[in-house]
């Protein structure tokens, strides 16, 4: 084996395709789930590919695009396989600087334990979420406390609702996206708590402001209440020393708490080895550092795949000093400058000063801002993303979207109609599921697949 890629998210798929295209010969991709895509299939919202493709894909559509590229490139796949660890194979008598290669230990339900050797290994294992116990928040540990990603997986892939009324800790993109998702499914989001505005402008507008969800910056969670099931949470503002001011503590009844408090790179498989320092060991995507956008993950992984291919074929590779973590998001301008309107066409989120009479727009970095501003003034529209039920045992729900933006006022009626839709497989992304959903003039199309 020339190049082994661990993790089949956007990073792993792009790195594997690039390694193959740059002459690595044999490239094997190992993924612990039974499907490719990483976290993307559960991200049913749009907002992927806006930078790289100038398209507004959902997570599933972006994953499908790369799944097809991966299969077409001839990358070998080993799904439902978990890598437990890797080990450097030393040349006899060598100092260890030029390893013979690498060995990965893995397990799968179908073929048990096995070992795979390779010249180069790419770590693309993504992130895991920070949990409430890791944040040392006092209180009981009842049911109803979820990380945002776990709740997202339950709702978007498994067809479970986490509860009826929720508080969200964390005002980054994941928290904001889940606030909208829960609201559309009828869960009352009572409050989002965050230290500061960290989410992308488009998510603040389209996930929070569109649905008038209460948000408090400078507030945090101080304890959870309830045994068996969560009954409520206590929240308090930070004081000038950055500590919760308990004299202003408030109790909020709720049966669900979502913790969207950050991601931690998943590097367990590396043990004591260090990508970038140990020859032949490469890293890309969220395993290296947390990226805001899948587009950036893809770009970085394409370069990592090229370097791994060069190394595996005996070429000299400049030591990889690890990924560039300058991906700081696109929101530096927003805080304190929220003028008239934030353009949500792309993640830049230009803050525009818009006048209606006579119509004028300032602050937009491209002409799309003008058209967006006019549309928002006259008749704001949004693409609606959701899930519909299926009769498949393997995939109880299928993610869908409207094929064009619909009037904002029609979002909730369209959701009502979507809840009545049931589909049978096979279905592929792009396939029309329901024509003219709720008389909006838009068709409902699949954004992920079901096999049978
Ligand atoms: C809620 C949410 C909303 C987002 N919204 C957007 C958005 O609107 N636009 C956008 O561009 N980006 C968005 N992102 C970011 C984007 O999804 C990530 O940047 C991207 O998925 C990271 O890709 P990755 O391949 O590094 O990691 P992942 O997608 O996490 O993939 C890692 C893969 O590695 C596998 N793996 C891990 N360990 C092992 C092991 N030991 N053995 C085998 N396999 C293993 C995992 O199963 C997983 O499939 C969002 C992310 C989240 C969570």
């Amino acid at each position: 084996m020339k190049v082994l890629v661990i993790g089949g998210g956007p990073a792993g798929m792009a790195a594997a395709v690039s390694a193959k295209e740059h002459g690595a010969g044999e490239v094997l991709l190992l993924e612990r789930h039974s499907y490719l895509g990483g976290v993307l299939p559960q991200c049913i919202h749009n907002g992927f590919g806006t930078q790289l493709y100038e398209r507004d894909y959902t997570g599933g559509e972006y994953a499908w695009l790369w799944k097809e590229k991966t299969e077409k490139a001839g990358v070998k796949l080993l799904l439902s396989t978990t890598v437990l660890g890797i080990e450097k194979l030393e040349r006899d008598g060598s100092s260890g600087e030029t390893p013979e290669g690498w060995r990965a230990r893995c397990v799968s339900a179908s073929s048990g334990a096995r070992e795979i050797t390779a010249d180069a290994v790419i770590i693309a294992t993504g992130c895991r979420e920070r949990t409430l116990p890791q944040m040392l928040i006092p209180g009981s540990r009842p049911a109803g406390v979820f990380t945002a990603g776990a709740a997202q997986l339950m709702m978007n892939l498994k067809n479970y609702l986490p509860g009826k009324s929720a508080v969200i800790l964390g005002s980054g993109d994941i928290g904001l996206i889940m606030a909208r998702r829960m609201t559309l499914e009828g869960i009352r989001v009572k409050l989002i708590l965050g230290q500061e505005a960290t989410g992308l402008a488009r998510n603040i507008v389209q996930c929070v402001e569109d649905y008038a969800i209460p948000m408090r910056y400078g507030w945090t969670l101080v304890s959870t209440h309830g045994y068996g099931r969560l009954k409520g949470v206590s929240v308090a503002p930070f004081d000038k020393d950055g500590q919760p001011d308990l004299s202003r503590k408030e109790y909020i009844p709720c049966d669900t708490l979502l913790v969207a408090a950050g991601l931690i790179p998943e590097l367990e498989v590396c043990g004591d080895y260090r990508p970038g320092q140990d020859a032949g060991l490469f890293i890309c995507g969220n395993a290296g550092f947390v990226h805001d956008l899948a587009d950036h993950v893809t770009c970085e992984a394409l370069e990592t795949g090229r370097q791994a291919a060069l190394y595996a074929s005996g070429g000299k590779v400049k030591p990889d000093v690890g990924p560039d973590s300058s991906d700081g998001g696109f929101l530096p301008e927003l805080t304190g400058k929220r003028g008239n309107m934030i353009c949500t066409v792309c993640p830049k989120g230009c803050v525009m000063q818009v006048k209606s009479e006579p119509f004028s727009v300032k602050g937009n970095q491209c002409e799309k801002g003008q058209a967006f501003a006019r549309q928002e003034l006259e008749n704001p529209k949004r693409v609606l993303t959701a899930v519909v039920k299926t009769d498949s045992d393997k995939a109880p729900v299928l993610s869908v979207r409207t094929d064009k933006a619909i009037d904002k006022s029609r979002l909730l009626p369209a959701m009502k109609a979507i809840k009545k839709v049931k589909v049978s497989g096979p279905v592929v992304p792009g396939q029309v599921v329901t024509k003219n959903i709720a008389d909006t003039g838009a068709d409902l199309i699949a954004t992920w697949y079901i096999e049978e």
Side-chain angles (χ1 to χ4, degrees), residues 44 155-156 181 185 385-389 397-400 418:
I44 64 165
M155 293 178 72
N156 295 348
R181 181 77 188 105
E185 287 292 350
T385 64
V387 295
V388 294
K389 293 197 183 63
V397 283
L398 172 73
S399 58
V400 292
I418 286 172

Side-chain angles (χ1 to χ4, degrees), residues 124 168 191 299 315 440:
I168 299 179
L191 187 60
C299 292
T440 53

